[in-house]
Amino acid sequence: NDLDRNHTEFLSKWELGVLMKSLGHELSDEDHKGIVSDSERCVSLGDFLAIMARREQDLAMRDKLMEAFSVFDCDGSGFISV
């Protein structure tokens, strides 16, 4: 992996931020707090997968909600038609 230049199988929080930006995500303060690694400076694959799983669940939920909203937004105005 190009980011793990030391071949430690861990990423620094900065490297994780770069990786997430390349995937179109920002690393939030909540993500930082949720990282449970052996060292404050290292992020494991498990940490990364947990963060991305939460992000993908959030995106999937948003898509489902938008689809449900569009059922009631008959004219596509962004408001629920009554």
Side-chain angles (χ1 to χ4, degrees), residues 23-42:
L23 296 171
H25 297 278
E26 292 289 327
L27 188 61
S28 70
D29 290 337
E30 183 180 320
D31 294 329
H32 277 285
K33 291 176 187 173
I35 295 173
V36 286
S37 58
D38 293 335
S39 166
E40 278 297 309
R41 300 174 315 169
C42 296

Side-chain angles (χ1 to χ4, degrees), residues 11-70:
L11 298 175
S12 69
K13 289 183 181 181
W14 181 85
E15 292 167 329
L16 176 62
V18 170
L19 176 58
M20 293 203 43
K21 276 188 180 186
S22 74
L23 296 171
H25 297 278
E26 292 289 327
L27 188 61
S28 70
D29 290 337
E30 183 180 320
D31 294 329
H32 277 285
K33 291 176 187 173
I35 295 173
V36 286
S37 58
D38 293 335
S39 166
E40 278 297 309
R41 300 174 315 169
C42 296
V43 178
S44 70
L45 174 61
D47 293 325
F48 171 71
L49 293 176
I51 290 168
M52 292 306 296
R54 282 193 307 272
R55 293 292 171 94
E56 292 304 315
Q57 286 175 344
D58 291 345
L59 289 173
M61 177 59 78
R62 187 195 73 199
D63 291 343
K64 287 179 183 179
L65 290 172
M66 289 298 292
E67 185 179 334
F69 184 87
S70 68

